Amino acid sequence: MISLIDLQAQFCSIQPEIEKEVQHVLKSGNYIMGPQVRTLEKQIAARLEVQEAVSVANGTEALTLTLEAFHIGVGDEVITTPFTFIATAEAISRVGAIPVFADVDPSTGLIDPQQIENKLTTKTKAIIPVHLFGQAADMDAIMEIARQYGLVVIEDACQAFGATYNQKPVGALGDAGCFSFFPTKNLGGLGDGGMIVTNNKEIASHLRRLRVHGSDQKYYHEEIGYNSRLDTIQAAILLVCLKHIDQWNNRRRELAKVYLQEFQSIPDLSPIVERETNKHIYHLYCLNSPNRDHYVEHLKNNKIAAAIYYPVCLHQQKAYQFLGYQKGDYPHAEGLTETIFAIPMHPFLTADNQQKIIEVLKEVHPQ
């Protein structure tokens, strides 16, 4: 079976480095918020050219705590995309705010800035663009809207560590950026983890208080907070992975170039477009086809993994029925749920396996 992602191969490639660092943590007895956590924060802040990086327990809480740190809550509206994982909207709901969806560009799946403007109201307080599948949303246009209307921009960069927009790192383009270190991410640990980056020192200080039960000093609590700390072992593992992330991302881009060239000859198969402003790091390699189900079935029959991201838009999820959206409200996003699918993409995909994937896709004759 050719898998969508090969975490075992990734681990084996750096196993001695990881085992050494984990043993160091185990012997230290410092398992929560140890020195490796601060080292990771400093290295990521330096890499992304921001002043502050604050680690948290996972990507979802990175979004949630950031919204709370900006005092976004009950009755406020936050505009985001309906075509993403539910964590984006879930974080908005968790602070008591209301997710308001804006449709996407069908060629990229990224939120459409023009549609954002159409959704603005007097209750709008923030925008959360999602850098979907590993490439940046149109941040110049989004930031212009935010400046014009006095809105906070929180980048959901959970799928895009290492991606750039106009040669600037994603996460460092808005008021804050949120990352996930879930194992399947390009920069992933061996468990959960997350990070928030910002140039706002006051927000960073608030985030550090929120992640430890609203406390700046142990047993003294200024507000109701969270238990959202990064384990020292995960920080140590991520420090190892950080040394290799550019090599891994570059390999993903090489594989993507081969896919793009080969798929040009298949008339009913089109890759998600990489925008000229972007360096896409291909967390997922997604294709569009009106005959998606036929392609997916043929791949699986040939022992090649395929997956659908995402089968149901957020506004159509049962959890958000109370918002009153209807089928047809977001035609571009809804259309993608019927045509999009992902094929294997990871740094350890061999040339032979990639060619097999390509050959199998070329065998398909749509009915």
Side-chain angles (χ1 to χ4, degrees):
M1 184 76 178
I2 301 176
S3 59
L4 210 64
I5 184 170
D6 192 342
L7 293 178
Q8 292 91 340
Q10 181 168 308
F11 171 74
C12 289
S13 74
I14 54 174
Q15 184 173 349
E17 295 175 80
I18 285 180
E19 289 180 347
K20 177 183 176 182
E21 295 305 321
V22 168
Q23 284 295 325
H24 183 70
V25 174
L26 293 176
K27 290 177 182 178
S28 75
N30 197 344
Y31 304 140
I32 301 290
M33 297 292 289
Q36 290 86 345
V37 172
R38 186 60 188 141
T39 300
L40 179 68
E41 292 174 338
K42 287 180 178 179
Q43 288 192 14
I44 286 181
R47 179 191 172 93
L48 299 184
E49 301 174 1
V50 294
Q51 294 183 31
E52 304 285 346
V54 181
S55 60
V56 290
N58 54 66
T60 306
E61 291 194 354
L63 291 163
T64 305
L65 269 66
T66 302
L67 286 162
E68 185 154 332
F70 278 101
H71 302 291
I72 294 166
V74 176
D76 295 334
E77 293 180 351
V78 180
I79 298 175
T80 192
T81 169
F83 190 65
T84 185
F85 184 58
I86 196 170
T88 313
E90 192 174 43
I92 297 167
S93 298
R94 280 295 170 201
V95 298
I98 301 166
V100 175
F101 302 114
D103 211 351
V104 301
D105 178 339
S107 69
T108 62
L110 298 166
I111 193 167
D112 182 344
Q114 185 175 339
Q115 296 301 317
I116 291 174
E117 279 205 276
N118 294 340
K119 296 295 180 178
L120 293 171
T121 74
T122 57
K123 296 181 179 180
T124 307
K125 294 296 186 293
I127 306 168
I128 302 184
V130 177
H131 302 316
L132 192 70
F133 303 149
Q135 76 163 325
D138 186 352
M139 289 301 294
D140 282 347
I142 290 168
M143 293 306 295
E144 178 58 34
I145 293 168
R147 282 190 290 268
Q148 184 176 352
Y149 294 97
L151 306 176
V152 173
V153 176
I154 299 167
E155 297 172 70
D156 182 340
C158 288
Q159 297 183 358
F161 190 93
T164 64
Y165 174 83
N166 285 331
Q167 301 182 326
K168 296 178 181 178
V170 302
L173 302 163
D175 296 290
C178 298
F179 295 92
S180 167
F181 301 134
F182 188 75
T184 60
K185 298 297 193 287
N186 292 37
L187 179 63
L190 299 184
D192 273 316
M195 187 75 73
I196 305 151
V197 299
T198 183
N199 286 312
N200 188 319
K201 289 186 176 295
E202 183 178 342
I203 291 296
S205 178
H206 194 180
L207 287 165
R208 292 189 179 101
R209 183 165 66 245
L210 284 172
R211 72 179 174 182
V212 284
H213 304 284
S215 173
D216 288 321
Q217 180 182 355
K218 194 172 183 178
Y219 301 129
Y220 294 84
H221 306 274
E222 297 184 33
E223 60 185 311
I224 303 299
Y226 299 79
N227 179 9
S228 188
R229 299 167 293 197
L230 183 65
D231 294 342
T232 309
I233 283 178
Q234 294 306 327
I237 292 166
L238 288 162
L239 283 167
V240 172
C241 294
L242 193 60
K243 299 175 185 177
H244 301 272
I245 189 63
D246 289 330
Q247 176 189 348
W248 292 343
N249 281 345
N250 288 338
R251 175 58 180 159
R252 288 174 183 265
R253 288 182 55 77
E254 290 171 2
L255 292 165
K257 287 180 182 177
V258 174
Y259 275 147
L260 179 61
Q261 182 176 352
E262 293 288 346
F263 294 149
Q264 288 175 352
S265 62
I266 307 178
D268 71 332
L269 201 63
S270 58
I272 288 291
V273 172
E274 179 178 2
R275 291 169 51 91
E276 290 184 3
T277 54
N278 291 343
K279 179 183 176 183
H280 196 327
I281 48 82
Y282 294 96
H283 168 60
L284 295 170
Y285 192 90
C286 289
L287 297 164
N288 262 317
S289 176
N291 299 290
R292 176 187 68 190
D293 294 346
H294 195 57
Y295 279 107
V296 169
E297 181 182 9
H298 192 59
L299 287 166
K300 291 183 177 179
N301 287 341
N302 283 273
K303 297 185 177 359
I304 298 170
I308 296 172
Y309 298 92
Y310 294 95
V312 182
C313 287
L314 297 187
H315 69 285
Q316 296 175 298
Q317 296 283 352
K318 185 177 180 181
Y320 282 112
Q321 283 183 350
F322 71 94
L323 293 176
Y325 289 108
Q326 303 295 322
K327 181 176 175 59
D329 285 344
Y330 300 97
H332 293 321
E334 291 171 29
L336 286 173
T337 67
E338 298 175 357
T339 61
I340 202 167
F341 66 105
I343 59 175
M345 168 56 77
H346 57 84
F348 302 92
L349 183 64
T350 66
D352 287 346
N353 279 349
Q354 186 179 33
Q355 283 305 310
K356 181 178 179 182
I357 295 162
I358 292 164
E359 289 166 9
V360 168
L361 285 168
K362 286 183 174 180
E363 290 170 1
V364 174
H365 299 286
Q367 302 299 309

